[in-house]
Amino acid sequence: MKSIRQQLRSELLFLDGAMDIRLMEMGMAPFAHPEMMNLVHPEWVYNVHREYLEAGADILRTNTFGVNGWKCSDVKYQQIIREGIQIARRAAAHASTEEKPRYVAFDIGPSGAKPMEEAIPSFAEMVQIAEEEGANVIFLDSFQELYEMKAAVLAAKENTSLPIFVTMAQSLERDPACFAALMEGLRVDALGLQGGTNPNDILPLVRELAGRCSIPIIATPNRRLHSPAEEFALDMRELMEAGAHLGGGSGGTTPAHIRCMAKRCDSLHPAVIQQEEITVASSYAIAQRIGGGDSGSLMVGERINPTGKRRLQQALQDHDWSYVQREAMAQGESGAQLLDVNVGMPGIDERQTMQEAVLAIQQVVALPLLLDSARPDVLEGAMRVYNGKPVVNSVNGRQRTMDAVFPLVAKYGGVVVALPLDEGGIPETPEGRLAVARKMIREAAAYGIEKKDIIVDPMVLAVSSIARGAVTALESLRLIKMTLQVPTILGISNVSYGLPGRANLNAAFYTMALQAGVDMAILDPGCEPVRGARDAYQTLCGLDENGLRYIGRYKR
Amino acid sequence: MKSIRQQLRSELLFLDGAMDIRLMEMGMAPFAHPEMMNLVHPEWVYNVHREYLEAGADILRTNTFGVNGWKCSDVKYQQIIREGIQIARRAAAHASTEEKPRYVAFDIGPSGAKPMEEAIPSFAEMVQIAEEEGANVIFLDSFQELYEMKAAVLAAKENTSLPIFVTMAQSLERDPACFAALMEGLRVDALGLQGGTNPNDILPLVRELAGRCSIPIIATPNRRLHSPAEEFALDMRELMEAGAHLGGGSGGTTPAHIRCMAKRCDSLHPAVIQQEEITVASSYAIAQRIGGGDSGSLMVGERINPTGKRRLQQALQDHDWSYVQREAMAQGESGAQLLDVNVGMPGIDERQTMQEAVLAIQQVVALPLLLDSARPDVLEGAMRVYNGKPVVNSVNGRQRTMDAVFPLVAKYGGVVVALPLDEGGIPETPEGRLAVARKMIREAAAYGIEKKDIIVDPMVLAVSSIARGAVTALESLRLIKMTLQVPTILGISNVSYGLPGRANLNAAFYTMALQAGVDMAILDPGCEPVRGARDAYQTLCGLDENGLRYIGRYKR
Ligand SMILES: [Zn+2]
Ligand SMILES: [Zn+2]
Ligand SMILES: [Zn+2]
């Protein structure tokens, strides 16, 4: 028999439609919890499932959507879940054939924002039950918050081996790129959109997801009010043509809608799933493309790093998060497009401090973060609480480090900064650094980490100690970029360590790095010469027609 | 019969030795002018010439060395010159064979510093007589001042078609590179050194000249006191092996010295004359290599240019040369390695002003100058009075301009800045600019201007009017440098014309130009960010071990 993961790669699959309308038609009181029917009228639920299967659905969602929202009460929600899965399994088994297997997706809706530490165990309990009862898929349905969705995915990954499908509730304000980056990073099996006032509301979003994702796309729109099933079917066909691979209905849809849809889409070939090579880091609100395209080189704020900063050291010791938040905001106002967060210093619990710092910063700044530590346990803690797809800064080519960090990236998602140094130290030559970087990309692939999720830092050593530190860095950057076709990152300020006139050196090195094609630079965006170097570079590159942006910034 | 120019390219040639010792031995009073003997004892002079011919000399210097020094007196110096040449011609004709032709070189010594306007007509009169009387060569003997030598060479070029040989009096303080640059630029046929306390004094200088020049080298040292002729001969052999092509004697040498030398050197093959590809501009005291080598990119001070500078405009109108001199000195103190001089403005006699400016600046600053004008007549005036091998800024690819400027470079010597624009305007693409530059190099070759004496300015247009102005300039620079292997120059400040925050843009563009390999940059060396860009670039390129120079400049 086929598996659902195999089918997803080669076929269009149909989901079912809404449960509540049919249950009400069968006699359910308008304000009842539909999930309660699993206990009080299981035959109604069974019959609705049978109708959808007859209409052509490949996948049934269990009648459990609302449980997550009210299970804090004393209702026997575990029992409702078990019954819901069993009812769907009986219906699916009845209709399943070798040719057209039918699947049961354990349906979980959102519960509203909860602290990560409470959300994960709660989801964990439910998905464990679902796997015990024989569900085929974990279906995170119509979530509103990425952060809760992340908690649910982590719970599913940590407690089951079932495929994970996720849909976001359609919302015009929400950037689907953040959703895609985070969920693909977390390795879900399919992702998509739910809701809208009609299927056309999600059409542009489905298109955008299809252009960004290398996994199947789900579309479960609401039906348009006062419109026939046939119209819904035509809209669904359009969504499938736009790139959706799994189609079904949400609010207002009935077996008639699914039947029409299945007929209309029967002859379609599924859209080809591209392997997108775009590198993206994200927060809950901003998906930042790295390398390629028109984004230009990105500025990463370096200031949240206690090395040599007394005031920040004190703030970290005192858990004075408002100071850290102000530093984060100030860097954003100076033009930083991402922020590096490093709390490594003696005398603190680095893992705990890092988690608190990340949470505090994400409260006030929407910029994607670089989680910066040499310690894998600190990286793990930060990745767990981070809301988005982070940049993990960094992993080096030592086997022990790769063995510790790559599994974290595979689990939590993220773009990883690779430092091409290994057991032999930092290679002196660009060719040596290229060789280590290539080895690291190969090793990462063994963990399912694609090359697009690797940024190489060719490493700049201070010219005060290594005269060719800057030259070697730039030569390595050019060689690695050209040969491996990966984005690159450089810590600009390292170059001037131990010298006076650092801003001047940093500005010149930044200009040189920009010219060499660096994709991200870690620096102090509040340092005028450094910021000026970037403004000038963009103007000189003709990216600022007639210098208007430059004039706006520099006119007296 | 062979010509002396042909022989120079393939054979070692011998000059004669001193005249005065033998004349005194024959009866001349110790304090007499030896040249007077041409009138009162022509047979003595004839006999000394015959002795040198018998000793093996190929070239006789006429007994006229001192005339230039005392001809302001009322003595009939013209007659002395005519007789001197006739005596030498009779002796040479007697000894000349098809196999070994003998030549007469009209010998002129220095007269001491004179204003250019007086020196040239005075030399002109003498060389006209020499050509009338049938001399084969103009020999400028033992000059002390490059400027006077330039005047004499110009007089010889303007009034005769004879080959020109020049020797400088050896002096440890004088840079032979300035001498070589100026004289090769002026297209003399051979150049060399005279004097010293013994031949070894000039050995390192002859080596340096041989390494720099693409023309034959002359060595006419003094004999060492109290040493036999054989020792002189061995020393001369060493000089010939070191690169000299014409050997003879100065103070204290006799026919015995020349005979020994001719024997000792008879079996030597002449040193191969390399076509040196080094680009050099010079003043009277500094020979500045451009491109290649360790010199790095050169800073050219831009401030002597009245465009947009009220104070300088006023100074030029008032002939206030002390203001111009202060500007020149200040730029030198800020690190400029050459200075651009442009006096183009309405309401002045540009040619006259340019000449005065060049003379005034050379009084106080030893840096080589760029003579900057769009007008060929202004360039001519400046080149005429300039003491050294200038950079001529500039010529463009319009046929009319090339026809006007290239003859000036061929006559006065100089390195010419080629602007790759022609009748079709400024090409938009790097390939277009390359094509014009290539055409200009070909056209220059027709005037005997070698590629090494051409610097290409790929031209930067202000980004405020042409968004890709900087990008195209740098792409053109890279393409032209790589394809044509010529040095390049850029006017840095042009890029920011019409924008605020110019220093910031100029500094970034300078860094980018340095990275692209620009060999000279015209800029304001007193502008801190611009100067800082260069300091940083050198430190970042590893040219400043441990950043010590940088620390020296930037430490608090
Ligand atoms: Zn409910
Ligand atoms: Zn409720
Ligand atoms: Zn005298």
Side-chain angles (χ1 to χ4, degrees), chain B residues 344-358:
Chain B
M345 59 177 279
I348 58 161
D349 175 343
E350 187 179 341
R351 188 175 195 277
Q352 173 68 22
T353 307
M354 186 71 161
Q355 286 191 316
E356 291 181 28
V358 166

Side-chain angles (χ1 to χ4, degrees), chain B residues 487-503:
Chain B
T488 51
I489 188 170
L490 270 176
I492 297 300
S493 313
N494 300 349
V495 83
S496 60
Y497 182 81
L499 291 177
R502 293 191 67 175

Side-chain angles (χ1 to χ4, degrees), chain A residues 544 546-556, chain B residues 464 498-500:
Chain A
D544 181 9
N546 297 325
L548 292 180
R549 259 186 297 147
Y550 192 86
I551 291 170
R553 194 169 150 79
Y554 288 89
K555 70 176 177 225
R556 279 168 312 270
Chain B
S464 56
L499 291 177

Side-chain angles (χ1 to χ4, degrees), chain A residues 13-87:
Chain A
L13 291 179
F14 301 119
L15 287 155
D16 51 10
M19 174 63 69
D20 56 351
I21 297 181
R22 289 294 296 129
L23 290 179
M24 284 189 281
E25 288 170 353
M26 288 171 177
M28 182 179 78
F31 301 106
H33 285 310
E35 300 77 15
M36 286 302 293
M37 299 305 112
N38 297 348
L39 303 184
V40 299
H41 284 292
E43 73 286 3
W44 294 355
V45 177
Y46 180 83
N47 284 334
V48 179
H49 285 325
R50 290 294 308 270
E51 290 171 8
Y52 279 118
L53 291 167
E54 280 158 23
D58 299 286
I59 302 167
L60 295 177
R61 283 169 288 180
T62 58
N63 182 32
T64 52
F65 174 80
V67 173
N68 191 31
W70 46 262
K71 75 180 165 55
C72 47
S73 67
D74 64 346
V75 180
K76 292 271 179 242
Y77 69 91
Q78 296 185 355
Q79 188 59 21
I80 294 171
I81 291 171
R82 288 186 196 279
E83 290 299 328
I85 294 169
Q86 287 306 326
I87 297 166

